[in-house]
Amino acid sequence: MVQQLPDKVDNWQELENKLFMRTVNRLPVTLVCGEGSNVWDSTGKEYLDFVAGWAVNSLGHCHPVVSKALIDQGQVLIQTSNQFYTIPQIKLAELLIHNSCFNRVFLCNSGTEANEAAVKLVRRYGKLHLNGAHYIITTHGSFHGRTLAMVAATGQNRHQEPYIPLPGGFINVDYNDINAIKEATTDQTCAIMIEPIQGEGGVNVANNDYVNEIRVWCDQKGILLIFDEIQTGVGRTGTLFNYQQYDIEPDVMTLAKGLGSGVPIGALLAKEKASVFSPGEHGSTFGGNPLVCAVSFAALEYIIDNNIPEKVHEIGHYFVNGLDKLKEKYDFIVEIRGRGLLLALVFKNDIAEDIMISCLNRGLLINRVRPNAIRFMPSLTVTKDEIDKALKIVEDALNERL
Ligand SMILES: Cc1ncc(COP(=O)(O)O)c(C=O)c1O
């Protein structure tokens, strides 16, 4: 007999507890709607959202441009096979290529998938141009996604250990250490993959010399450089792409998160010389579908036309100034890390969880990125007023520690 769902659910969290695999420890809040930098829970409580769907809602919640594109395209064409041409994906590709140093795009549905595609691409390159070289050097503290290959790429033991044995072909070395990369490079290496800022690893910024030296090393060895800009891309750090803050261009870049401003999309971009896939060698059923591409195009066009990256640069400084004042006041704050609107406040001790919960109770959503660090990744359209409010709530939470 088919069991009916109850008409009225009194406790969604209890129901979730019965139904879901335990992959995440959710916070005790059921979000029901959002607008701009604000979200509301099922009890009507309002929160200032400085998590923004995990650095996803670039234009905030339900921005009119995003909602309109979703509705308009939803009434016309939602999904087709990639055997056919569709216009929204071509418009999106053109916008991405026109505003970056890359020549070609592959569209998919998530960050992990974009990185998988990148890894397949550079392995293909290795087969075609580097005598079958297929090893990829990645860094400790990185995060590249959740598939088995991306877990192997991700240089964090806690993600790898439960799934050993992992697929081969990845070497994890220390971040911001060019010698570690040089020592790990062999004639079997086809690429180096880095996040210019390690987001999940604690908002660790790659220094200029390191990035420049990696570029030179890749050129010397004839191997490819992949930038995972899934978290740093699309204006988040104060330029459209974070590589633009360095003096180099990667050969390959991956995007996701903010690219869709709330809808699931991933993108792999590459220079012409690295675009070595042949028909049938890679693909995706949903990747590049008209619905998601129309939304992503509308959001990206808005971000570019309204100089949002420049505004992020400016407001990011404003935010850092506020955090600096907190650092001057509280001796248990040791560091502020990040760029633009991807920022972390680092503490002497492991108090990040307590600070996060205290902020949550006071109506501010933030992320505990490390036991001793909290992360802020609000929408790119966050206002100074909202930053002031957030800083006040963080300060109140910090005062509890005195
Ligand atoms: C740098 C980076 N790469 C890859 C991923 C994985 O993306 P997704 O969760 O969309 O698969 C993430 C997610 O946090 C990320 O921050």
Side-chain angles (χ1 to χ4, degrees), residues 276-388:
V276 292
F277 283 144
S278 296
E281 286 181 354
H282 194 54
S284 165
T285 296
F286 293 118
N289 73 70
L291 183 70
V292 159
C293 287
V295 175
S296 182
F297 173 80
L300 186 60
E301 190 182 48
Y302 184 93
I303 288 168
I304 293 167
D305 288 352
N306 291 280
N307 297 322
I308 302 274
E310 272 174 46
K311 291 178 185 162
V312 168
H313 178 75
E314 193 203 312
I315 207 161
H317 277 295
Y318 181 80
F319 200 172
V320 168
N321 280 342
L323 293 173
D324 264 331
K325 287 195 185 112
L326 294 180
K327 182 167 173 279
E328 277 161 27
K329 193 164 166 195
Y330 301 94
D331 64 0
F332 56 89
I333 297 177
V334 291
E335 199 183 353
I336 296 151
R337 290 200 289 250
R339 296 280 183 273
L341 289 171
L342 178 59
L343 297 170
L345 196 59
V346 187
F347 306 111
K348 221 178 248 169
N349 300 312
D350 292 351
I351 57 169
E353 182 85 18
D354 290 352
I355 300 292
M356 179 197 64
I357 297 293
S358 175
C359 287
L360 178 76
N361 293 335
R362 294 164 194 275
L364 172 68
L365 308 184
I366 54 168
N367 162 244
R368 184 225 72 135
V369 67
R370 299 273 92 192
N372 70 335
I374 52 174
R375 175 171 46 167
F376 307 97
M377 38 189 173
S379 85
L380 308 185
T381 49
V382 70
T383 63
K384 287 186 176 168
D385 200 36
E386 287 164 343
I387 287 176
D388 289 343

Side-chain angles (χ1 to χ4, degrees), residues 54 56 109-115 142-146 150 154 195 197-200 228-232 254 256-257 265 375:
W54 222 263
V56 166
N109 313 286
S110 69
T112 307
E113 269 181 77
N115 281 340
S142 63
F143 185 82
H144 297 297
R146 299 283 192 171
M150 285 314 104
T154 291
E195 293 164 86
I197 300 176
Q198 291 182 329
E200 302 309 302
D228 175 343
E229 291 231 27
I230 284 158
Q231 192 154 145
T232 54
T254 51
K257 289 195 181 285
I265 187 166
R375 175 171 46 167

Side-chain angles (χ1 to χ4, degrees), residues 84-102:
F84 305 101
Y85 295 92
T86 52
I87 296 165
Q89 66 169 233
I90 301 170
K91 285 172 66 178
L92 175 62
E94 198 187 22
L95 200 57
L96 283 168
I97 295 304
H98 192 75
N99 288 284
S100 73
C101 67
F102 302 99

